[in-house]
Amino acid sequence: MNLSATALAHPNIAFIKYWGNRDDALRLPASGSISMNLGSLWTRTTVTFRPSLAADELILGGQPTTGPALERVAAFLDLVRGMAGLDQRAAVVSENNFPMGTGIASSASAFAALALAATRAAGLDLTEAELSRLARRGSGSACRSIPGGFVEWLAGTDDRDSHAISIAPPEHWNLADCIAVVSRAHKAIGSARGNALAHTSPFQAARLADAPRRLDLCRAAILQRDFEALAAVTELDSDMMHAVMMTSTPALFYWQPATLAVMQAVRGLRAAGLPACYTVDAGPNVHVLCEAARAEEIAHHIGSLPGVEEVIRSGVGGAARLV
Ligand code: PMV
């Protein structure tokens, strides 16, 4: 039997963010979140279990990789081995078609692709909900890269019911994400560590108390294709998450001057009648959302702002899949 499989998954951009856990070890979130998959961007991962291997191996973007990245992958493979009753080590070969560590959530597509490839290679055939639960254990936001299109992570109450579902397929709404890259530097504190600090901000309790309202507004805006409503709740949610980050102990400041310049320019475009809105993850780059028909114009505009190195564009993407 060939214990090998290859899977592809897209990163996702959250409109309603995940930041803070009820259980750090199981990555059970303190609240639900909503995102869309980014179809032009992907991680492709091949997992091969081999009796001859003494330890798990990782090749990332052509480079043999050890240290924390390999340890995180090996811990995840332990979960898969436990489910499949397998004790062979694996060779993992993974590549992204986008830069890592820049606020484009590479861990989401990475653990979604790894969950699908590793379970298939181990002979398991999981349901979408089971795969999403498993991907969550690698990186919280990875559970949202398993289903397709517009996705909601149901916070749930325990390991079994905390997983993501599709709330609308990719073709439901032709949105685009124009990512203004203002820095390619690796972030100082990654989201896994930052997430564990959320509860130290006095603002986190207020953010969580208001989360059901924002989730309802966002879900309704997507289902009704109401861009104005989506813009209002998406910017509010991003600003609230960054207020928590900036006021945690230690404080996390992910914005740079160019980050704020793009955010202000986007508000200016919207005031001038061009529908666009911003959202920022755990990094300095700005995701500018718009309807696909306006993406060219908007990408051109933000690409000409000082401090913007590049604009990466993507439409809405489908589910994680075998290739
Ligand atoms: O899943 P993680 O640990 O990469 O955390 C993701 C955190 C944010 O990207 C900032 C928000 C989100 O919901 O994607």
Side-chain angles (χ1 to χ4, degrees), residues 14 16-19 107 139-141 144 191-192 195 241 245 281-282:
I16 303 296
K17 309 290 192 188
Y18 152 59
W19 196 251
S107 64
S139 177
S141 57
R144 296 191 311 243
S191 50
N195 245 310
M241 179 181 73
M245 292 164 158
D281 278 345

Side-chain angles (χ1 to χ4, degrees), residues 204-243:
Q204 174 72 342
R207 175 180 170 267
L208 294 178
D210 184 58
R213 185 187 71 93
R214 296 193 308 282
L215 286 163
D216 286 349
L217 287 172
C218 183
R219 201 184 306 110
I222 291 169
L223 294 177
Q224 291 157 21
R225 299 186 197 89
D226 180 343
F227 191 85
E228 224 174 289
L230 181 73
V233 75
T234 297
E235 291 189 356
L236 172 67
D237 189 86
S238 174
D239 293 347
M240 284 175 88
M241 179 181 73
H242 284 273

Side-chain angles (χ1 to χ4, degrees), residues 12-21 27 32-35 72 103-108 111 135-136 138-144 153 187 190-195 207 237 241-242 245 254 279-283 287:
N12 64 75
I13 179 65
F15 304 152
I16 303 296
K17 309 290 192 188
Y18 152 59
W19 196 251
N21 288 323
R27 294 185 208 274
S33 52
I34 294 178
S35 59
R72 197 165 163 189
I104 305 169
S106 57
S107 64
F111 282 99
R136 189 198 80 230
S139 177
S141 57
C143 77
R144 296 191 311 243
W153 177 4
K187 47 194 171 200
S191 50
R193 269 176 67 205
N195 245 310
R207 175 180 170 267
D237 189 86
M241 179 181 73
H242 284 273
M245 292 164 158
Y254 289 108
T279 184
V280 183
D281 278 345
H287 294 253

Side-chain angles (χ1 to χ4, degrees), residues 12 44 52 57 92 119 250 273 283:
N12 64 75
R44 187 173 47 210
S52 59
E57 291 174 359
V92 177
T119 51

Side-chain angles (χ1 to χ4, degrees), residues 6-41:
T6 300
L8 182 146
H10 302 292
N12 64 75
I13 179 65
F15 304 152
I16 303 296
K17 309 290 192 188
Y18 152 59
W19 196 251
N21 288 323
R22 257 181 317 138
D23 182 323
D24 284 327
L26 286 174
R27 294 185 208 274
L28 296 178
S31 61
S33 52
I34 294 178
S35 59
M36 85 176 190
N37 286 349
L38 300 175
S40 309
L41 312 180

Side-chain angles (χ1 to χ4, degrees), residues 110-244:
F111 282 99
L114 183 63
L116 181 54
T119 51
R120 284 305 178 100
L124 297 167
D125 188 6
L126 303 188
T127 64
E128 184 179 273
E130 288 167 339
L131 266 178
S132 176
R133 279 170 49 200
L134 175 64
R136 189 198 80 230
R137 301 286 298 277
S139 177
S141 57
C143 77
R144 296 191 311 243
S145 283
I146 295 290
F150 299 86
V151 172
E152 180 164 359
W153 177 4
L154 309 168
T157 54
D158 59 24
D159 176 47
R160 291 195 55 80
D161 61 3
S162 185
H163 67 87
I165 57 167
S166 178
I167 55 176
E171 55 279 7
H172 168 72
W173 197 4
N174 198 2
L175 290 188
D177 183 6
C178 304
I179 306 163
V181 178
V182 306
S183 168
R184 293 178 172 284
H186 221 84
K187 47 194 171 200
I189 298 209
S191 50
R193 269 176 67 205
N195 245 310
L197 299 177
H199 73 276
T200 66
S201 166
F203 292 167
Q204 174 72 342
R207 175 180 170 267
L208 294 178
D210 184 58
R213 185 187 71 93
R214 296 193 308 282
L215 286 163
D216 286 349
L217 287 172
C218 183
R219 201 184 306 110
I222 291 169
L223 294 177
Q224 291 157 21
R225 299 186 197 89
D226 180 343
F227 191 85
E228 224 174 289
L230 181 73
V233 75
T234 297
E235 291 189 356
L236 172 67
D237 189 86
S238 174
D239 293 347
M240 284 175 88
M241 179 181 73
H242 284 273
V244 166

